Amino acid sequence: MSGNHTIAVSHNEGQKRFIITVDGTPAGFASYVDGQNYRNFNHTVIRPEFRGQGLSGPLIRAALDDARAGGIRIHDSCTAVAHFIRKNPGYADLKN
C-alpha cells in the first residue's frame, strides 16, 4: 500500500470476524466459526477498491496471531488463509 495510510485490524467477536481498515474505512474481513477445540477461518474478503494493495497478509497474520495468543488451533477452509500458511510456514503449527 503506497502513501501514508493508517492500517488497523480489529476483532469483532460478535460478528466472528477480523476487520481490516484503511484510514478508518473498512477494507475487508476474515470470518471464522469456532468449533469445540478450534477456529475455522472460512472466508476472507478484501473490498474491490482495496484489492491489490497487500491487505490480506496483515489481516490474516493478525487473525492467526490472535488464535496463537489464545492457544486456539485452526482450520483453514478459506483458500486465502491456507495460501498464507503455505507461504508463511511459521504458522503451520496452528493447524488442527
Side-chain angles (χ1 to χ4, degrees):
M1 174 140 234
S2 61
N4 294 324
H5 296 281
T6 301
I7 298 170
V9 177
S10 61
H11 185 187
N12 184 320
E13 292 184 48
Q15 290 185 342
K16 296 199 178 294
R17 61 177 49 179
F18 289 82
I19 301 164
I20 191 163
T21 59
V22 176
D23 297 331
T25 301
F29 64 87
S31 63
Y32 63 88
V33 176
D34 282 329
Q36 187 158 352
N37 295 310
Y38 66 91
R39 176 170 288 167
N40 180 20
F41 287 98
N42 58 3
H43 195 56
T44 301
V45 172
I46 299 296
R47 290 175 42 192
E49 62 270 30
F50 290 99
R51 289 183 187 151
Q53 300 179 34
L55 296 174
S56 64
L59 171 61
I60 294 168
R61 184 179 310 279
L64 295 178
D65 286 347
D66 182 80
R68 175 170 279 143
I72 300 167
R73 306 288 292 173
I74 66 115
H75 285 240
D76 57 359
S77 64
C78 170
T79 56
V81 175
H83 179 72
F84 179 89
I85 291 171
R86 278 193 305 275
K87 287 182 66 174
N88 298 275
Y91 287 97
D93 64 304
L94 291 175
K95 291 181 71 169
N96 197 12

